Amino acid sequence: MAVTGWIEASWIAQALRGSGDVYMAVNAAHILGIGLLVGAIIPLDLRLLGLGRSYPLQVLAPFLSRCAALGLALALLTGAALWAVRPADYLGNAAFVWKMALLAAALVIVGLQHLSPGWRRVLAEGTVSLPVRLMAAASLACWLSVLLAGRWIGFL
């Protein structure tokens, strides 16, 4: 049996296919996760780009980063469960493939940003260097593209 067949036969996939209520709840949790993620990333990236300078980064950055991480965890867990319902179909959907590639790129950007000395200065001093601003712009573009690709899945 192919890996996708095994995943599609899993208990979680069967539970989602077998109950509209379970599927709806997992789908709603996925949307909540996306909302938390994007709802934290956008204001953080915009602040790093210079908007809302009256809001201190030393307070905003850790809080919004944690909110985004919580949203990401919820979106990844529920997204994996939703994917399990029809994994082969999703893997054949160009928008899904783009979404996964963009998601990987966005996660690399977040990782690089959070490991950079510029990020440590943001947290310690509230100062934003040019590399931090450039990564914030790339992050913003990537996460919005992930969101768009996710919506595109249903139209292909």
Side-chain angles (χ1 to χ4, degrees), residues 44-61:
L44 178 56
D45 285 343
L46 290 174
R47 176 59 188 90
L48 291 171
L49 288 168
L51 276 71
R53 291 179 196 260
S54 62
Y55 302 104
L57 275 167
Q58 297 96 319
V59 174
L60 280 180

Side-chain angles (χ1 to χ4, degrees), residues 69-125:
L70 177 63
L72 176 64
L74 184 57
L76 288 175
L77 287 172
T78 55
L82 294 168
W83 174 75
V85 173
R86 295 186 348 245
D89 291 344
Y90 281 113
L91 291 174
N93 184 306
F96 178 81
V97 174
W98 272 104
K99 178 183 176 181
M100 293 300 104
L102 289 162
L103 176 60
L107 291 173
V108 166
I109 291 166
V110 168
L112 291 173
Q113 180 80 291
H114 284 257
L115 292 173
S116 74
W119 182 252
R120 288 189 287 283
R121 279 192 299 281
V122 164
L123 297 177
E125 306 163 15

Side-chain angles (χ1 to χ4, degrees), residues 29-40 71-72 74-75 78 99 147:
H30 188 63
I31 293 167
L32 175 61
I34 293 166
L36 279 170
L37 171 63
V38 177
L72 176 64
L74 184 57
T78 55
K99 178 183 176 181
L147 189 63

